[in-house]
Every structure is written in structure tokens, then in C-alpha cells.
Amino acid sequence: MKTISEEYSDNYGELNYEIKMSNEIDLNMLYGNITFYDEIFEDGTKNKISNVIFFVFDCYELDDFWYMADAISGDLEYVASAYNNYCHGLSGMGSIVIIDTLEIINNDGIFHHNLYLIRMLMKKLIEIFRVLGTGTIAFMSKAIYLNLETEKRRELLNELLQEGFIPIHQDQTDVVMVRNLDYQ
């Protein structure tokens, strides 16, 4: 019997991706979408695995970061506010990515399979955002996996901790996670 990691290595060992980004000049930020796929069929269509929506904020003052995030949505403002409180008093932050949504396409419904796929996707996202020159990734755990019961949310958070993400804020509805890309 194959383990989950062997099964997913066989199925998703080589994840390919496409990135589409657009610039919002007024806010000094980028909107992006990354589509992950594992194979291209003969007709040119792709077997999509996941879709990730993110925003890259290029800012050097935390208050500017908060204002830009607040101009987009309440969820992004929540992440920016938690990050500002965590980094209180710091400046010169550089580029910060907020992952707004990580959607798993053709979800098989088996939580542990999805958990392993999320971990693989997060590793790939870390690589991609490093190449883009981003310093920090931030997100709410519900952006990664909605409506989890408490035990499964703990498992998800433990997987993210293994990838170097740290929780910086928690309330009754969610946990904000952050990863500094300057450190391995």
C-alpha cells in the first residue's frame, strides 16, 4: 500500500504553473493569479490542480500596507492589521504577499490527500514568491481551507508550521500565518 506522499509524488511530482499579474498603479500593488497543473493534454488543455489568488504590496511603511489592504477587502485588511501589530515599530518592510484564496480543483474530498497537496503547493509558492523578490507571505488559514472543524484545522496549521509559517494572530474565527522568505 502506498503512503499518501508516494501517491502524490506519483500524481503531482512535477507541478507546472502559470502566473498572471496586473499592476494597480494607484495602490502600488500587484494582483496575481497562479494556476497549478500537472499535465497538458493533446488538445492543449491543462489538468488544473489548484488556483491561487494573491496580492503583492510594495510598501516600506506598515501604515501604507494597511491602507492598501483595506482598500481591497476586509479579509486583506484583517491580515494587514495582524501583521502590523506583530511588526509594530518596524519600517522598510519591502514586498509582502497576501494569499487571498487557495482553491483545490477536482478535490477528491479526502482531507489527508488535500492536506498533503496543500503542503506541496505551499512549498511551490514559497519558491515562486522568492523568485519574484517578495520578502513575506501572509494569509488567513481560512484562505487555504474553508470550514474546517477544530481538529482538522490543527492538522492544517501543523503542516504549515512544518513549512516555516508562524501564527501571528488568532481569534475565534481564524489564524493569521506568516512566513519570512529571507530565512530557510
Side-chain angles (χ1 to χ4, degrees), residues 95-164:
S95 294
I96 303 168
V97 169
I98 296 181
I99 297 173
D100 188 43
T101 306
L102 188 150
E103 172 190 22
I104 297 174
I105 300 168
N106 296 327
N107 178 339
D108 68 5
I110 300 172
F111 176 71
H112 291 289
H113 289 187
N114 292 338
L115 195 62
Y116 186 78
L117 180 58
I118 288 168
R119 189 168 180 184
M120 288 179 58
L121 291 169
M122 294 308 280
K123 284 181 181 182
K124 197 62 145 172
L125 287 171
I126 289 168
E127 290 174 21
I128 292 167
F129 292 135
R130 272 193 182 130
V131 169
L132 291 175
T134 305
T136 305
I137 299 173
F139 57 87
M140 292 189 292
S141 64
K142 73 179 182 181
I144 305 301
Y145 212 115
L146 285 172
N147 303 323
L148 285 181
E149 55 199 51
T150 304
E151 189 57 39
K152 288 183 178 179
R153 183 163 291 185
R154 281 190 199 118
E155 289 181 53
L156 171 63
L157 295 176
N158 284 335
E159 288 294 321
L160 295 170
L161 288 169
Q162 300 256 342
E163 294 307 316

Coordinates of all heavy atoms in Angstrom, one line a residue, residues 95-164:
S95 N 8.4 44.0 -0.1 CA 7.2 43.4 -0.7 C 6.6 42.4 0.3 O 7.3 41.5 0.8 CB 7.6 42.8 -2.0 OG 7.9 43.7 -2.9
I96 N 5.3 42.4 0.4 CA 4.5 41.5 1.2 C 3.4 40.9 0.3 O 2.7 41.6 -0.3 CB 3.9 42.2 2.4 CG1 4.9 42.8 3.3 CG2 3.1 41.2 3.2 CD1 4.4 43.8 4.3
V97 N 3.3 39.6 0.3 CA 2.2 38.9 -0.4 C 1.2 38.5 0.6 O 1.5 37.9 1.6 CB 2.8 37.6 -1.1 CG1 1.6 36.7 -1.6 CG2 3.7 37.9 -2.2
I98 N -0.1 38.7 0.2 CA -1.2 38.2 1.0 C -1.9 37.2 0.0 O -2.3 37.6 -1.1 CB -2.2 39.2 1.5 CG1 -1.5 40.2 2.5 CG2 -3.4 38.5 2.1 CD1 -2.5 41.2 3.0
I99 N -2.0 35.9 0.5 CA -2.7 34.9 -0.3 C -4.2 35.1 0.1 O -4.5 35.0 1.2 CB -2.2 33.5 0.0 CG1 -0.8 33.3 -0.4 CG2 -3.1 32.5 -0.7 CD1 -0.2 32.0 0.0
D100 N -5.0 35.4 -0.9 CA -6.4 35.7 -0.7 C -7.2 34.4 -0.7 O -8.1 34.1 0.0 CB -6.9 36.7 -1.7 CG -8.3 37.1 -1.4 OD1 -8.6 37.4 -0.2 OD2 -9.1 37.2 -2.3
T101 N -6.8 33.5 -1.7 CA -7.5 32.2 -1.9 C -6.6 31.2 -2.4 O -5.8 31.5 -3.3 CB -8.7 32.4 -2.9 OG1 -9.5 33.5 -2.5 CG2 -9.5 31.2 -3.1
L102 N -6.7 30.0 -1.9 CA -6.0 28.8 -2.5 C -7.1 27.8 -2.7 O -7.7 27.2 -1.7 CB -5.0 28.3 -1.6 CG -4.1 27.1 -2.1 CD1 -2.7 27.2 -1.5 CD2 -4.7 25.8 -2.0
E103 N -7.5 27.6 -4.0 CA -8.6 26.7 -4.3 C -8.0 25.4 -4.9 O -7.2 25.4 -5.7 CB -9.5 27.4 -5.4 CG -10.5 26.5 -6.0 CD -11.2 27.1 -7.2 OE1 -10.6 28.0 -7.8 OE2 -12.3 26.7 -7.5
I104 N -8.5 24.3 -4.3 CA -8.1 23.0 -4.9 C -9.2 22.6 -5.8 O -10.4 22.5 -5.5 CB -7.9 21.9 -3.7 CG1 -6.8 22.3 -2.8 CG2 -7.7 20.5 -4.4 CD1 -6.6 21.4 -1.6
I105 N -8.8 22.3 -7.1 CA -9.7 21.9 -8.1 C -9.8 20.4 -8.2 O -8.8 19.7 -8.0 CB -9.3 22.5 -9.5 CG1 -9.2 24.0 -9.4 CG2 -10.2 22.1 -10.6 CD1 -8.5 24.7 -10.5
N106 N -11.0 19.9 -8.5 CA -11.2 18.4 -8.6 C -10.8 17.7 -7.3 O -10.1 16.7 -7.3 CB -10.5 17.8 -9.8 CG -11.0 18.3 -11.1 OD1 -12.2 18.6 -11.2 ND2 -10.1 18.5 -12.1
N107 N -11.2 18.3 -6.2 CA -10.9 17.9 -4.9 C -11.5 16.5 -4.7 O -12.7 16.3 -5.0 CB -11.6 18.9 -3.9 CG -11.5 18.6 -2.5 OD1 -11.3 17.5 -2.1 ND2 -11.7 19.6 -1.7
D108 N -10.7 15.5 -4.2 CA -11.2 14.2 -4.0 C -12.0 14.0 -2.7 O -12.6 13.0 -2.4 CB -10.1 13.1 -4.1 CG -9.1 13.2 -3.0 OD1 -9.3 14.0 -2.0 OD2 -8.1 12.4 -3.1
G109 N -12.0 15.1 -1.8 CA -12.7 15.0 -0.6 C -12.0 14.3 0.5 O -12.5 14.4 1.7
I110 N -10.9 13.7 0.3 CA -10.1 13.1 1.4 C -9.2 14.1 2.0 O -8.3 14.6 1.3 CB -9.4 11.9 0.8 CG1 -10.3 10.9 0.2 CG2 -8.5 11.2 1.9 CD1 -9.7 9.7 -0.5
F111 N -9.4 14.4 3.2 CA -8.7 15.5 3.9 C -7.2 15.3 3.9 O -6.5 16.3 3.6 CB -9.2 15.7 5.3 CG -8.5 16.8 6.1 CD1 -8.6 18.1 5.8 CD2 -7.6 16.4 7.1 CE1 -7.9 19.1 6.4 CE2 -6.9 17.4 7.8 CZ -7.1 18.7 7.5
H112 N -6.7 14.2 4.2 CA -5.3 14.0 4.3 C -4.6 14.1 2.9 O -3.5 14.5 2.8 CB -4.9 12.6 4.9 CG -5.3 12.7 6.4 ND1 -4.6 13.4 7.3 CD2 -6.3 12.1 7.1 CE1 -5.1 13.3 8.5 NE2 -6.1 12.4 8.4
H113 N -5.3 13.7 1.8 CA -4.8 13.9 0.5 C -4.7 15.4 0.2 O -3.7 15.9 -0.3 CB -5.7 13.3 -0.6 CG -5.6 11.8 -0.6 ND1 -6.2 11.0 -1.5 CD2 -5.0 10.9 0.3 CE1 -6.0 9.8 -1.3 NE2 -5.3 9.7 -0.2
N114 N -5.7 16.2 0.5 CA -5.8 17.6 0.3 C -4.7 18.3 1.2 O -4.1 19.2 0.7 CB -7.1 18.2 0.6 CG -8.1 17.7 -0.5 OD1 -7.8 17.3 -1.6 ND2 -9.4 17.7 -0.1
L115 N -4.5 17.8 2.4 CA -3.5 18.4 3.3 C -2.1 18.2 2.7 O -1.3 19.2 2.7 CB -3.6 17.7 4.6 CG -2.9 18.4 5.8 CD1 -3.5 19.7 6.1 CD2 -3.1 17.5 7.0
Y116 N -1.8 17.1 2.1 CA -0.5 16.9 1.5 C -0.4 17.7 0.3 O 0.7 18.3 0.1 CB -0.3 15.4 1.2 CG 1.1 15.1 0.7 CD1 2.1 15.1 1.6 CD2 1.4 15.0 -0.7 CE1 3.4 14.9 1.1 CE2 2.7 14.9 -1.1 CZ 3.7 14.8 -0.2 OH 5.0 14.6 -0.7
L117 N -1.4 17.9 -0.5 CA -1.4 18.7 -1.7 C -1.1 20.2 -1.3 O -0.4 20.9 -1.9 CB -2.6 18.6 -2.5 CG -2.7 19.4 -3.8 CD1 -1.6 19.1 -4.7 CD2 -4.1 19.1 -4.5
I118 N -1.8 20.6 -0.3 CA -1.6 22.0 0.2 C -0.2 22.2 0.6 O 0.4 23.2 0.3 CB -2.6 22.3 1.4 CG1 -4.0 22.4 0.9 CG2 -2.1 23.6 2.1 CD1 -5.0 22.4 2.0
R119 N 0.4 21.3 1.3 CA 1.8 21.4 1.7 C 2.7 21.5 0.5 O 3.6 22.3 0.4 CB 2.2 20.2 2.6 CG 3.6 20.4 3.2 CD 3.9 19.4 4.3 NE 5.2 19.6 4.8 CZ 5.7 18.9 5.7 NH1 5.1 17.9 6.2 NH2 6.9 19.1 6.2
M120 N 2.5 20.7 -0.5 CA 3.3 20.7 -1.8 C 3.1 22.1 -2.5 O 4.0 22.7 -2.9 CB 2.9 19.6 -2.7 CG 3.3 18.2 -2.3 SD 2.8 16.9 -3.4 CE 3.6 17.5 -5.0
L121 N 1.8 22.6 -2.5 CA 1.6 23.9 -3.1 C 2.2 25.0 -2.4 O 2.8 25.9 -3.0 CB 0.1 24.1 -3.2 CG -0.7 23.2 -4.2 CD1 -2.2 23.4 -3.9 CD2 -0.4 23.5 -5.6
M122 N 2.2 24.9 -1.0 CA 2.9 26.0 -0.3 C 4.4 26.0 -0.5 O 5.0 27.1 -0.6 CB 2.6 25.8 1.2 CG 1.1 26.1 1.6 SD 0.4 27.6 0.9 CE 1.0 28.7 2.1
K123 N 5.0 24.8 -0.6 CA 6.4 24.8 -1.0 C 6.7 25.4 -2.3 O 7.6 26.2 -2.4 CB 6.9 23.3 -1.0 CG 7.1 22.7 0.3 CD 7.6 21.2 0.1 CE 7.7 20.6 1.5 NZ 8.3 19.2 1.4
K124 N 5.8 25.2 -3.3 CA 6.0 25.8 -4.6 C 5.8 27.3 -4.5 O 6.5 28.0 -5.2 CB 5.0 25.1 -5.6 CG 5.4 25.3 -7.0 CD 6.7 24.7 -7.3 CE 6.8 24.1 -8.7 NZ 8.1 23.7 -9.1
L125 N 4.8 27.7 -3.8 CA 4.5 29.1 -3.6 C 5.7 29.9 -3.0 O 6.0 31.0 -3.4 CB 3.2 29.4 -2.8 CG 1.9 29.0 -3.5 CD1 0.7 29.1 -2.6 CD2 1.7 30.0 -4.7
I126 N 6.3 29.2 -2.0 CA 7.5 29.8 -1.4 C 8.6 30.1 -2.4 O 9.2 31.1 -2.5 CB 8.0 28.9 -0.2 CG1 7.0 29.0 1.0 CG2 9.4 29.4 0.2 CD1 7.3 28.0 2.0
E127 N 8.8 29.0 -3.3 CA 9.8 29.2 -4.3 C 9.4 30.3 -5.3 O 10.3 31.1 -5.7 CB 9.9 27.9 -5.2 CG 10.5 26.7 -4.4 CD 10.4 25.4 -5.3 OE1 10.3 25.5 -6.5 OE2 10.5 24.4 -4.7
I128 N 8.2 30.3 -5.7 CA 7.7 31.3 -6.7 C 7.9 32.7 -6.1 O 8.4 33.6 -6.8 CB 6.3 31.0 -7.1 CG1 6.2 29.8 -7.9 CG2 5.7 32.2 -7.9 CD1 4.7 29.2 -8.1
F129 N 7.4 32.9 -4.9 CA 7.5 34.3 -4.3 C 8.9 34.7 -4.0 O 9.2 35.9 -4.1 CB 6.6 34.4 -3.1 CG 5.1 34.3 -3.5 CD1 4.2 33.5 -2.7 CD2 4.6 35.0 -4.5 CE1 2.9 33.4 -3.0 CE2 3.2 34.9 -4.9 CZ 2.4 34.1 -4.1
R130 N 9.8 33.8 -3.7 CA 11.2 34.1 -3.6 C 11.8 34.6 -4.9 O 12.5 35.6 -4.9 CB 12.0 32.9 -3.1 CG 12.1 32.7 -1.7 CD 13.2 31.7 -1.3 NE 13.2 31.6 0.1 CZ 13.1 30.4 0.7 NH1 13.1 29.3 0.0 NH2 13.1 30.3 2.0
V131 N 11.4 34.0 -6.0 CA 11.9 34.4 -7.3 C 11.4 35.7 -7.7 O 12.1 36.6 -8.3 CB 11.5 33.3 -8.4 CG1 11.8 33.9 -9.8 CG2 12.3 32.0 -8.2
L132 N 10.1 36.0 -7.3 CA 9.5 37.3 -7.6 C 10.1 38.4 -6.7 O 9.8 39.6 -6.9 CB 8.0 37.3 -7.4 CG 7.2 36.5 -8.4 CD1 5.7 36.4 -8.0 CD2 7.4 37.0 -9.8
G133 N 11.0 38.1 -5.7 CA 11.6 39.1 -4.8 C 10.8 39.5 -3.7 O 11.0 40.6 -3.1
T134 N 9.8 38.7 -3.3 CA 8.9 39.0 -2.2 C 9.6 38.6 -0.9 O 10.3 37.6 -0.8 CB 7.6 38.3 -2.3 OG1 7.0 38.6 -3.6 CG2 6.6 38.6 -1.2
G135 N 9.4 39.4 0.2 CA 10.0 39.2 1.5 C 9.2 38.4 2.4 O 9.7 37.6 3.2
T136 N 7.8 38.5 2.3 CA 7.0 37.9 3.3 C 5.7 37.4 2.6 O 5.1 38.0 1.7 CB 6.6 38.9 4.4 OG1 7.8 39.4 5.0 CG2 5.7 38.3 5.5
I137 N 5.2 36.2 3.1 CA 3.9 35.7 2.7 C 3.0 35.7 4.0 O 3.4 35.3 5.0 CB 4.0 34.2 2.2 CG1 4.9 34.1 1.0 CG2 2.6 33.7 1.9 CD1 5.1 32.6 0.6
A138 N 1.8 36.2 3.8 CA 0.8 36.2 4.9 C -0.5 35.8 4.4 O -0.9 36.0 3.2 CB 0.7 37.7 5.5
F139 N -1.3 35.2 5.3 CA -2.7 34.7 4.9 C -3.4 34.3 6.1 O -2.9 34.0 7.2 CB -2.6 33.5 3.9 CG -1.9 32.4 4.4 CD1 -2.5 31.4 5.1 CD2 -0.5 32.2 4.1 CE1 -1.8 30.3 5.6 CE2 0.2 31.1 4.6 CZ -0.5 30.2 5.3
M140 N -4.8 34.2 5.9 CA -5.6 33.6 7.0 C -5.7 32.2 6.7 O -5.8 31.8 5.5 CB -7.0 34.3 7.0 CG -7.0 35.7 7.4 SD -8.7 36.3 7.6 CE -9.3 36.3 5.9
S141 N -5.8 31.3 7.7 CA -5.9 29.9 7.4 C -7.2 29.5 6.6 O -7.1 28.6 5.8 CB -5.8 29.1 8.7 OG -6.9 29.4 9.5
K142 N -8.2 30.3 6.8 CA -9.5 30.0 6.0 C -9.3 30.3 4.6 O -10.0 29.8 3.7 CB -10.7 30.7 6.6 CG -10.7 32.2 6.3 CD -12.0 32.8 6.9 CE -12.1 34.2 6.6 NZ -13.3 34.8 7.2
A143 N -8.3 31.1 4.2 CA -8.0 31.3 2.8 C -7.4 30.0 2.1 O -7.5 29.8 0.9 CB -7.0 32.4 2.6
I144 N -6.8 29.2 3.0 CA -6.2 27.9 2.5 C -7.3 26.8 2.5 O -7.3 26.0 1.6 CB -5.0 27.5 3.3 CG1 -4.0 28.7 3.4 CG2 -4.4 26.3 2.9 CD1 -3.5 29.1 2.1
Y145 N -8.1 26.7 3.5 CA -9.1 25.7 3.6 C -10.3 26.1 4.4 O -10.2 26.3 5.6 CB -8.4 24.4 4.3 CG -8.9 23.1 3.8 CD1 -8.1 22.2 3.1 CD2 -10.2 22.7 4.0 CE1 -8.6 21.0 2.7 CE2 -10.7 21.5 3.6 CZ -9.9 20.7 2.9 OH -10.3 19.4 2.5
L146 N -11.4 26.3 3.8 CA -12.6 26.9 4.5 C -13.3 25.8 5.3 O -13.2 24.6 5.0 CB -13.6 27.4 3.4 CG -13.3 28.7 2.8 CD1 -14.3 29.0 1.7 CD2 -13.3 29.8 3.8
N147 N -14.0 26.2 6.3 CA -14.9 25.4 7.1 C -14.3 24.1 7.7 O -15.0 23.1 7.6 CB -16.1 25.1 6.2 CG -16.8 26.3 5.7 OD1 -16.9 27.3 6.4 ND2 -17.3 26.3 4.5
L148 N -13.2 24.2 8.2 CA -12.6 23.0 8.9 C -13.1 22.9 10.3 O -13.2 23.9 11.0 CB -11.1 23.1 8.9 CG -10.4 22.8 7.6 CD1 -8.9 22.9 7.8 CD2 -10.7 21.5 7.0
E149 N -13.3 21.7 10.8 CA -13.6 21.5 12.2 C -12.2 21.7 12.9 O -11.2 21.7 12.3 CB -14.2 20.2 12.4 CG -13.4 19.0 11.8 CD -14.2 17.8 11.7 OE1 -15.3 17.8 11.1 OE2 -13.7 16.7 12.1
T150 N -12.3 21.9 14.2 CA -11.2 22.2 15.0 C -10.0 21.3 14.9 O -8.9 21.7 14.7 CB -11.6 22.3 16.5 OG1 -12.6 23.2 16.6 CG2 -10.4 22.7 17.4
E151 N -10.2 20.0 14.9 CA -9.1 19.0 14.8 C -8.4 19.1 13.5 O -7.2 19.1 13.4 CB -9.6 17.6 15.1 CG -8.5 16.6 15.2 CD -7.5 16.9 16.3 OE1 -7.9 17.4 17.4 OE2 -6.3 16.7 16.1
K152 N -9.2 19.2 12.4 CA -8.6 19.3 11.1 C -7.8 20.6 10.9 O -6.8 20.7 10.2 CB -9.6 19.1 10.0 CG -10.1 17.7 9.9 CD -11.1 17.4 8.8 CE -11.5 16.0 8.8 NZ -12.5 15.8 7.7
R153 N -8.4 21.7 11.5 CA -7.7 23.0 11.4 C -6.3 22.9 12.1 O -5.3 23.4 11.6 CB -8.5 24.1 12.0 CG -7.8 25.4 11.9 CD -8.7 26.5 12.1 NE -9.6 26.6 10.9 CZ -10.5 27.5 10.7 NH1 -10.6 28.5 11.6 NH2 -11.3 27.5 9.7
R154 N -6.3 22.2 13.2 CA -5.0 21.9 13.9 C -4.0 21.2 13.0 O -2.8 21.5 13.0 CB -5.2 21.2 15.2 CG -5.7 22.0 16.3 CD -5.6 21.3 17.6 NE -6.5 21.9 18.6 CZ -7.6 21.4 19.1 NH1 -7.9 20.1 18.9 NH2 -8.3 22.1 19.9
E155 N -4.5 20.2 12.3 CA -3.6 19.4 11.4 C -3.1 20.3 10.3 O -1.9 20.2 10.0 CB -4.4 18.2 10.8 CG -4.6 17.1 11.8 CD -5.3 15.9 11.2 OE1 -4.8 15.5 10.1 OE2 -6.4 15.5 11.7
L156 N -3.9 21.2 9.7 CA -3.5 22.1 8.7 C -2.4 23.0 9.2 O -1.4 23.2 8.6 CB -4.7 22.9 8.2 CG -4.4 24.0 7.2 CD1 -3.7 23.5 5.9 CD2 -5.6 24.8 6.9
L157 N -2.7 23.6 10.4 CA -1.7 24.5 11.0 C -0.4 23.8 11.3 O 0.7 24.4 11.1 CB -2.3 25.2 12.2 CG -3.5 26.1 12.0 CD1 -4.1 26.6 13.3 CD2 -3.2 27.2 11.0
N158 N -0.5 22.6 11.7 CA 0.8 21.9 12.0 C 1.6 21.6 10.7 O 2.8 21.7 10.7 CB 0.5 20.5 12.7 CG 0.2 20.7 14.1 OD1 0.6 21.6 14.8 ND2 -0.6 19.7 14.7
E159 N 0.9 21.3 9.6 CA 1.6 21.2 8.3 C 2.2 22.5 7.9 O 3.3 22.5 7.4 CB 0.6 20.7 7.2 CG 0.1 19.3 7.4 CD 1.3 18.3 7.2 OE1 2.1 18.5 6.3 OE2 1.3 17.3 7.9
L160 N 1.5 23.6 8.1 CA 2.0 24.9 7.7 C 3.2 25.3 8.6 O 4.2 25.9 8.2 CB 0.9 26.0 7.8 CG -0.2 25.8 6.8 CD1 -1.3 26.8 7.1 CD2 0.3 26.0 5.4
L161 N 3.2 24.9 9.9 CA 4.3 25.2 10.8 C 5.5 24.4 10.3 O 6.7 24.9 10.4 CB 4.0 24.7 12.2 CG 3.0 25.6 13.0 CD1 2.6 24.9 14.3 CD2 3.6 27.0 13.3
Q162 N 5.3 23.2 9.7 CA 6.5 22.4 9.2 C 7.1 23.1 8.0 O 8.3 22.9 7.7 CB 5.9 21.0 8.8 CG 5.3 20.2 9.9 CD 6.2 19.1 10.3 OE1 7.2 18.8 9.6 NE2 6.0 18.6 11.5
E163 N 6.4 24.0 7.3 CA 6.9 24.7 6.2 C 7.5 26.1 6.6 O 7.8 26.9 5.7 CB 5.8 24.9 5.1 CG 5.4 23.6 4.5 CD 6.6 22.8 3.9 OE1 7.5 23.3 3.3 OE2 6.6 21.5 4.2
G164 N 7.5 26.3 7.9 CA 8.2 27.6 8.3 C 7.2 28.7 8.6 O 7.7 29.8 8.8

